[in-house]
Amino acid sequence: DFGLRMSVDGAPGCVDPIDRDNILIGGNQTLPFDMTGVSSFSMHTNDDRECAEPTDGPFEFDAAAGERVHILLHGTAAGDLDAVVLPMTGSVPAAVGDTDTDSGDTDTDNDTDNATGSDRGLAVELMSTEVSTTFGLAADDATCVAELIVDALGADVLLAGGELVELDSLGDAAADATGAALAASTESCGVDPAVFGG
């Protein structure tokens, strides 16, 4: 019963990972898919070789050309799955990455590719303290959650003058990405969803 298949809107049948055929989705593996032009995807059991009857989804998907994202599936079994879509480092949504927290100006080139490793480390450290204080998590769990949030938003977006900016000031796109990171942390970091009120 192990493994799932995926279909996307606008294309018949199942889609295969890039440069691979007949590889099932599941477990801890990371498979690359070309999602160009895709606005939603659905999951199917492994015996549905034509991807005719979805068990989960469709899940909405929104990424601009050239963006790379993580799609994290979580749940107990087919028919009980949810999906979280998170930007990859260096792939911050324009609504988040265009915010210049120092001046209020916009910078269309401002994304996490511009952040240095030390910027990320500082952002994770500060965010870890914030997460620990807000949710009462142990240090290791808070750091794990903080890394997901920093990777979702980008250190350059989160830091201003060496300090953590107010998340509320970053707008709805940042709030959505933060919420998705918190949801993903229940699987990635083993955090009890009840900690976040879910």
Side-chain angles (χ1 to χ4, degrees), residues 74 79 83 128-129 146 189 195 197:
H74 58 96
S128 179
T129 301
C189 307
V195 169

Side-chain angles (χ1 to χ4, degrees), residues 19-30:
D19 297 330
R20 303 184 192 186
D21 294 324
N22 268 341
I23 301 293
L24 298 175
I25 301 165
N28 293 323
Q29 62 186 317
T30 300

Side-chain angles (χ1 to χ4, degrees), residues 1-196:
D1 293 335
F2 177 80
L4 298 166
R5 300 181 191 275
M6 182 169 70
S7 65
V8 298
D9 62 294
C14 305
V15 294
D16 284 322
I18 297 170
D19 297 330
R20 303 184 192 186
D21 294 324
N22 268 341
I23 301 293
L24 298 175
I25 301 165
N28 293 323
Q29 62 186 317
T30 300
L31 299 173
F33 288 87
D34 182 358
M35 303 294 277
T36 304
V38 173
S39 61
S40 68
F41 61 93
S42 299
M43 304 308 298
H44 306 256
T45 58
N46 63 22
D47 58 354
D48 184 2
R49 295 181 180 272
E50 302 301 320
C51 285
E53 297 294 330
T55 58
D56 298 278
F59 300 112
E60 296 300 314
F61 179 87
D62 185 17
E67 283 187 322
R68 298 181 303 153
V69 300
H70 292 291
I71 298 172
L72 304 171
L73 297 169
H74 58 96
T76 56
D80 185 35
L81 296 178
D82 201 356
V84 176
V85 179
L86 290 174
M88 292 178 74
T89 300
S91 184
V92 177
V96 177
D98 286 355
T99 302
D100 182 339
T101 53
D102 285 326
S103 64
D105 296 332
T106 58
D107 176 4
T108 56
D109 294 324
N110 186 17
D111 62 27
T112 53
D113 281 338
N114 296 332
T116 66
S118 60
D119 289 342
R120 183 184 184 278
L122 176 61
V124 169
E125 180 183 342
L126 295 173
M127 183 58 71
S128 179
T129 301
E130 182 76 14
V131 168
S132 179
T133 301
T134 302
F135 300 109
L137 292 175
D140 287 348
D141 290 340
T143 299
C144 182
V145 173
E147 288 176 340
L148 289 174
I149 294 172
V150 170
D151 287 343
L153 297 179
D156 58 329
V157 172
L158 289 169
L159 294 177
E163 299 291 332
L164 201 63
V165 302
E166 290 291 331
L167 291 180
D168 292 343
S169 70
L170 296 178
D172 292 342
D176 290 345
T178 302
L182 293 178
S185 73
T186 62
E187 286 285 321
S188 298
C189 307
V191 176
D192 185 347
V195 169
F196 306 127

